[in-house]
Amino acid sequence: MAILKISEPGQSPLPHQFKKVIGIDLGTTNSLVAAVSHDGSGEGEFPAVLNDLEGRAMLPSVVHYGIDGADCVGHEAMALAAQDPFNTLASFKRLMGRGIDDIDDLQQFNVANDTVSTDQKKSTAMIRLATVAGDITPLEASAEILKSLFNRAQARLGGPIEGAVITVPAYFDDAQRQATKDAASLAGLKLLRLINEPTAAAVAYGLDKADDRLVVIYDLGGGTFDVSILQLSDGVFEVLATSGNSSLGGDDFDLAIVQWALTQVGCVADDLSPSEYRRLLASARAVKQQLTESEAKSIDFTCANERHQLNLSRDQFNALITPLVNTTVEVCRSSLHDAGLTPAEIADVVLVGGSTRVPLVQERVAELFQQKPKVDVDPDKVVALGAAIQADVLIGNSSNADLLLLDVTPLSLGIETMGGLVEKIIHRNTSIPSSRGQEFTTYKDGQTALAIHVLQGERDLVADCRSLARFELRGIPPMVAGAARIEVTFKVDADGLLEVSAQEIITGITANIQVKPSYGLADNEIAEMLKASYSYAEQDRDARMLAEQKVEAIGLIDAVKAALLVDADLLDEQQLGDIRQSIETLLLDIDTNNTLIISQSVAILGRETESFAALRMDQSIRTALQGKNLDDVVE
Amino acid sequence: MRRKLHRLINRTIESKTHTVKLEKNFFKLFELPQQFDTDSVAMKRRFRVLQRNFHPDRYIGKPPQEHRLAVQLSAHINTAFATLSDPVKRAEHLLNLQGIEIDHQQSTIKDNVFLLKQMEFRETLEQAAFEKDRLALSNILTEVSDDFKVCQIEFAKKIVNLNSTESQSLTDSLCNEVSKMYFYQSLSNELNTNIRLLSQ
């Protein structure tokens, strides 16, 4: 669009005035930084990964802590992992935005021997890892990686960096995105955008050059799995559906080998010293990588100082990881279903992430889509390159001004309603930015405040979703139940971050919150959410019905009691006695947790109060006819 | 087109006021005739043009106020596109534009033949799901999809007359069609989910 290229006077983007911006792939295992360089004419644009002084592109996402804080990162830190396991943090991306309750099994996270700080009292706080430098959050460790990449970029590009695009897994929830954004500010980076890793990869491939086509990005990294289905046309990258698992990746392949090796020699993980465990994990990773080329490889390790050597064939390895790879294929299928597409409609399938080098992964993806997946661009670098291109476009350097990324929210967002149920306000796979309001009302007479509990996930019950935030709307004038009109508005910005506000429409009282998440749900629960929303559909429905029935019962009791307080004199002794008896029965029945019994009791009380309601209505009408305002007689 | 968009930006984004005027008529926003049948290709094209101009990524480095308004506009465009792309939401929007509101939870369908059919569909679905009979589910889906299409055609035909005749019975029958569409759409989704679960 021509109008967007018009610059302010004195700000025309002459070649020498290109702003320096970078793209960062903040990975679980490795991180990279890339930038687009421009030649003198301003026409040529060359995205490239920025190497370190020793010519290495990848920075291992590992931080070592000394007494005074982080003393080294990357390769240096990784070299210290076996010798000083407690102070060497790795794979912390898997802990971003997570609380202590989320990680009952530390070994799952490849931070096996990093102890969780013992003085952690609040279970809702973000997890901390104890080091000699004190308790470190994964957010702080991530900031160290970002700082290191930032310094590298500054040295290579020679000058101040004006902004960065950082990539996150598409399936990251609000808490994980917020933690990444916070890490960027902690590192002193000006964050232009968070973009989703598969979307960045699609940009780097430049598949949009062709006419309107559907593309699947299969991204299996060290610790996360994403799949995104995009429609590309003329510079617009429109995500139609996205899904994934934010705790499934190549690390799990390594752990499968570790588990296999320990079982073979009759050991358990606890038999190994922290150093031995780290060494075994490193050997497992090396064997996994070698099995891409070789048919079999030996693995050496010690368990309680006893040496072992085992032989692992590719077939054996494939058998170990088959359940994990099947999970990713199933996620692809369900995502296609969400987009209303069949595998045959997909023009290209692109593999991203180091773990897609595993032959079994390539085979299974080819099988599903009936085509050979693309691996033209280095799967380790493609995300960083895409981020750099997007940064260049955002800051206005690029001549490719038509490039536009339209993404979606990976998980549904909603609020808690009566009975522990979740009312979804923004559904998953909704295009962002998005804004949607929904009206709610008060539940009790005279209620002056409303607690708003914000949740993310696909399930029907609050307990099965991730709690993002809680806040209160206060100062609602006392009214009868159901009279107040409270509009709750959810706004998701282009980074996928949520802001919630609430307003009582009649009085105009407002409350809003930039959602700063509480971190209180088990990690695997997030991963399970989508799958579960299908397979637990029946169980959910039953639970929902019971909860709704209870809400209806309590609401009815409250309404009848309130009416009795005012108008009990309209009833004779017999009627009053019957109603009181039915209330008592219903109260007892609620505790049976039996939907049918409760619904029967509700029906009985409903019938018994029918004539009472009619009497009250008659009285209201009479009062109104006598010139009194109806509002005067409403309590 | 460009000149027109430029004017629109001048009036909204670059104005000093703190709110933008959002076009509430999604057909107008998308430059489509206000009718049930839509040209999905033209709609998609217009969607991309609008987002290219108002997506917040186009306002990075501009004053934060402009960026904030762009988020609002871009979200509005997304809502409009989602509404127009979905037959049930589109039908409702057409009625809303005529001042007719539908409450799916409250409205009852006054069509006994349909109510009977609805019950039959439900029973067959439950039976087939219970017996894990994929073929039966697919057959119901085909039938439901056909009925859904018939409803849409009926609605498209009837809504044309809404402007000329002010008739309560026409309004009722349009609302009826939307309620039916809503039912068929939910049932299709349920059937699809069941079929997908069985194919795992």
Side-chain angles (χ1 to χ4, degrees):
Chain A
M1 282 292 127
I3 48 162
L4 293 160
K5 286 188 197 162
I6 297 171
S7 315
E8 297 297 317
Q11 287 188 351
S12 61
L14 293 170
H16 63 280
Q17 283 176 318
F18 285 126
K19 291 175 175 168
K20 295 189 174 73
V21 288
I22 52 175
I24 293 176
D25 174 4
L26 185 61
T28 310
T29 325
N30 293 295
S31 296
L32 297 96
V33 59
V36 177
S37 59
H38 297 262
D39 63 14
S41 70
E43 289 299 315
E45 294 171 359
F46 311 100
V49 168
L50 304 174
N51 293 345
D52 67 7
L53 290 173
E54 287 165 61
R56 296 173 299 203
M58 292 203 274
L59 179 76
S61 302
V62 182
V63 185
H64 180 265
Y65 283 85
I67 291 170
D68 299 324
D71 52 16
C72 63
V73 301
H75 297 280
E76 270 181 78
M78 201 157 77
L80 296 170
Q83 137 195 3
D84 189 13
F86 290 103
N87 297 310
T88 312
L89 309 186
S91 285
F92 39 80
K93 183 177 177 179
R94 295 180 92 159
L95 306 176
M96 290 288 268
R98 293 289 172 263
I100 191 163
D101 293 343
D102 298 339
I103 46 147
D104 13 75
D105 186 7
L106 274 174
Q107 303 234 340
Q108 280 277 313
F109 288 96
N110 203 12
V111 284
N113 300 299
D114 300 317
T115 18
V116 174
S117 169
T118 46
D119 63 354
Q120 195 157 356
K121 295 195 177 63
K122 278 175 70 185
S123 64
T124 53
M126 188 191 274
I127 187 168
R128 284 166 192 276
L129 304 163
T131 71
V132 286
D135 295 345
I136 305 297
T137 62
L139 196 152
E140 292 165 285
S142 297
E144 294 299 331
I145 298 295
L146 290 175
K147 264 188 250 172
S148 171
L149 293 171
F150 181 65
N151 291 337
R152 180 196 290 189
Q154 217 149 15
R156 303 291 303 203
L157 301 174
I161 307 294
E162 302 209 26
V165 166
I166 298 177
T167 61
V168 290
Y171 209 56
F172 254 22
D173 66 21
D174 191 80
Q176 293 166 307
R177 282 169 200 270
Q178 190 63 53
T180 307
K181 195 178 180 179
D182 292 347
S185 25
L186 199 61
L189 279 176
K190 184 178 186 295
L191 183 66
L192 297 172
R193 266 288 299 275
L194 291 177
I195 66 172
N196 291 333
E197 287 162 8
T199 315
V203 170
Y205 261 86
L207 294 166
D208 58 309
K209 302 291 183 283
D211 245 14
D212 237 318
R213 55 172 43 217
L214 294 163
V215 171
V216 165
I217 311 288
Y218 177 103
D219 181 356
L220 189 62
T224 57
F225 169 66
D226 279 333
V227 58
S228 284
I229 302 168
L230 291 96
Q231 184 170 34
L232 309 183
S233 168
D234 204 16
V236 179
F237 291 69
E238 189 189 348
V239 179
L240 301 179
T242 197
S243 189
N245 186 329
S246 61
S247 54
L248 172 67
D251 287 1
D252 298 290
F253 295 177
D254 304 344
L255 288 167
I257 297 177
V258 166
Q259 215 45 59
W260 167 81
L262 292 174
T263 313
Q264 292 294 304
V265 301
C267 285
V268 291
D270 286 346
D271 299 337
L272 276 69
S273 73
S275 297
E276 283 179 328
Y277 187 83
R278 286 281 175 125
R279 277 196 216 101
L280 173 55
L281 204 53
S283 315
R285 178 170 297 170
V287 167
K288 171 188 74 177
Q289 288 166 356
Q290 288 158 355
L291 283 174
T292 295
E293 302 294 331
S294 317
E295 287 300 322
K297 244 3 202 192
S298 72
I299 179 166
D300 298 280
F301 63 101
T302 60
C303 175
N305 291 321
E306 197 185 325
R307 292 191 63 86
H308 297 282
Q309 189 180 44
L310 294 168
N311 204 50
L312 183 65
S313 74
R314 190 191 287 167
D315 285 346
Q316 279 173 298
F317 172 61
N318 285 352
L320 291 177
I321 61 166
T322 291
L324 297 166
V325 179
N326 283 348
T327 307
T328 68
V329 171
E330 201 40 60
V331 170
C332 289
R333 280 218 184 90
S334 92
S335 202
L336 280 168
H337 174 257
D338 286 347
L341 296 169
T342 60
E345 291 173 89
I346 304 302
D348 293 293
V349 180
V350 175
L351 296 183
V352 180
S355 305
T356 58
R357 290 200 176 87
V358 173
L360 183 70
V361 171
Q362 302 199 357
E363 283 165 31
R364 295 301 310 276
V365 174
E367 191 183 295
L368 173 64
F369 292 101
Q370 292 296 306
Q371 62 170 288
K372 200 175 179 312
K374 279 186 187 293
V375 280
D376 317 354
V377 183
D378 186 339
D380 288 320
K381 295 180 180 169
V382 62
V383 169
L385 293 171
I389 295 169
Q390 173 69 349
D392 204 48
V393 171
L394 288 177
I395 206 72
N397 283 344
S398 179
S399 57
N400 187 13
D402 277 347
L403 183 80
L404 184 65
L405 313 186
L406 303 173
D407 230 302
V408 298
T409 177
L411 293 155
S412 301
L413 295 156
I415 71 170
E416 176 172 353
T417 59
M418 291 308 298
L421 299 174
V422 181
E423 174 92 19
K424 286 172 190 162
I425 295 188
I426 293 180
H427 288 260
R428 77 190 152 94
N429 290 331
T430 297
S431 301
I432 53 172
S434 178
S435 172
R436 197 165 166 247
Q438 190 131 322
E439 257 187 47
F440 294 91
T441 188
T442 44
Y443 170 66
K444 292 207 172 214
D445 288 349
Q447 186 176 340
T448 58
L450 188 77
I452 291 162
H453 185 195
V454 185
L455 297 129
Q456 186 160 31
E458 305 313 317
R459 301 284 301 279
D460 285 340
L461 295 181
V462 168
D464 299 326
C465 290
R466 169 163 286 265
S467 167
L468 290 179
R470 289 171 189 274
F471 71 110
E472 272 187 9
L473 178 69
R474 293 183 169 280
I476 303 167
M479 292 180 238
V480 283
R485 291 173 59 202
I486 294 135
E487 180 163 61
V488 177
T489 307
F490 275 41
K491 286 181 191 153
V492 180
D493 66 14
D495 291 335
L497 293 167
L498 174 69
E499 192 187 306
V500 181
S501 59
Q503 181 178 30
E504 203 291 302
I505 292 172
I506 300 162
T507 57
I509 290 162
T510 60
N512 63 69
I513 183 170
Q514 185 88 48
V515 174
K516 279 278 184 183
S518 41
Y519 309 96
L521 197 102
D523 202 64
N524 55 353
E525 289 188 57
I526 287 278
E528 292 281 327
M529 276 178 203
L530 195 73
K531 198 185 103 206
S533 76
Y534 288 119
S535 49
Y536 291 163
E538 199 168 316
Q539 195 184 320
D540 264 358
R541 198 183 53 219
D542 293 346
R544 180 175 266 276
M545 276 169 63
L546 175 62
E548 278 173 350
Q549 195 59 70
K550 281 187 173 182
V551 171
E552 192 187 337
I554 293 165
L556 179 62
I557 292 171
D558 283 356
V560 174
K561 278 185 172 169
L564 285 175
L565 276 180
V566 188
D567 290 327
D569 55 354
L570 294 174
L571 297 167
D572 63 35
E573 212 68 20
Q574 174 71 32
Q575 288 168 318
L576 195 59
D578 286 350
I579 289 174
R580 289 215 163 111
Q581 182 57 47
S582 297
I583 289 175
E584 289 309 314
T585 315
L586 181 53
L587 276 171
L588 290 173
D589 288 344
I590 286 171
D591 292 331
T592 62
N593 282 333
N594 182 322
T595 311
L596 190 66
I597 292 178
I598 301 171
S599 77
Q600 284 166 349
S601 272
V602 165
I604 292 170
L605 181 59
R607 261 201 311 279
E608 271 170 359
T609 49
E610 257 169 38
S611 60
F612 182 39
L615 290 170
R616 272 165 55 83
M617 279 310 291
D618 285 342
Q619 180 175 262
S620 294
I621 294 164
R622 275 198 305 277
T623 318
L625 288 176
Q626 282 161 14
K628 277 191 184 171
N629 193 321
L630 199 61
D631 288 347
D632 295 340
V633 294
V634 176
E635 58 273 51
Chain B
M1 170 73 75
R2 275 179 188 169
R3 184 167 280 187
K4 205 166 172 186
L5 283 168
H6 198 175
R7 277 208 309 275
L8 189 56
I9 295 171
N10 273 333
R11 214 176 44 235
T12 57
I13 295 275
E14 289 173 13
S15 68
K16 296 291 170 225
T17 56
H18 289 256
T19 51
V20 282
K21 184 185 165 290
L22 303 173
E23 176 57 67
K24 295 282 187 240
N25 185 326
F26 297 157
F27 293 94
K28 275 192 189 155
L29 183 65
F30 274 71
E31 297 182 326
L32 293 168
Q34 192 169 321
Q35 63 190 37
F36 183 76
D37 292 319
T38 48
D39 176 348
S40 62
V41 175
M43 198 162 81
K44 192 87 179 192
R45 203 184 309 127
R46 175 72 177 160
F47 171 67
R48 287 174 184 149
V49 169
L50 287 170
Q51 285 296 10
R52 227 175 226 153
N53 283 277
F54 297 112
H55 193 279
D57 279 0
R58 298 296 195 204
Y59 297 85
I60 283 178
K62 300 272 169 65
Q65 175 70 4
E66 287 183 24
H67 187 265
R68 201 184 64 77
L69 293 177
V71 174
Q72 212 178 315
L73 258 172
S74 179
H76 184 69
I77 295 160
N78 278 331
T79 305
F81 184 62
T83 305
L84 295 177
S85 305
D86 179 308
V88 183
K89 287 185 188 151
R90 185 167 70 239
E92 272 195 85
H93 184 58
L94 277 167
L95 292 180
N96 291 345
L97 291 173
Q98 304 282 347
I100 303 162
E101 300 283 336
I102 301 176
D103 185 344
H104 288 293
Q105 268 146 22
Q106 300 279 303
S107 69
T108 48
I109 297 170
K110 303 167 199 79
D111 179 343
N112 289 333
V113 180
F114 173 74
L115 287 175
L116 273 174
K117 212 168 178 183
Q118 188 174 349
M119 271 166 61
E120 260 171 53
F121 272 134
R122 280 256 160 248
E123 276 166 23
T124 345
L125 164 65
E126 269 165 36
Q127 180 78 7
F130 179 74
E131 287 168 3
K132 302 199 188 307
D133 185 345
R134 223 187 126 190
L135 185 68
L137 287 170
S138 298
N139 288 339
I140 311 170
L141 184 60
T142 313
E143 215 179 314
V144 168
S145 305
D146 289 347
D147 286 355
F148 189 16
K149 271 180 213 131
V150 171
C151 260
Q152 295 182 42
I153 295 166
E154 277 301 301
F155 182 88
K157 258 194 267 167
K158 288 177 186 167
I159 188 115
V160 178
N161 302 321
L162 193 60
N163 288 331
S164 47
T165 38
E166 280 277 328
S167 119
Q168 186 59 42
S169 67
L170 178 60
T171 306
D172 287 348
S173 110
L174 282 166
C175 290
N176 228 354
E177 294 299 337
V178 175
S179 297
K180 284 191 206 170
M181 279 194 236
Y182 184 76
F183 167 77
Y184 286 129
Q185 192 179 48
S186 320
L187 197 63
S188 303
N189 290 340
E190 212 173 306
L191 282 161
N192 271 314
T193 304
N194 272 300
I195 291 169
R196 218 185 70 76
L197 280 173
L198 284 182
S199 38
Q200 266 177 32

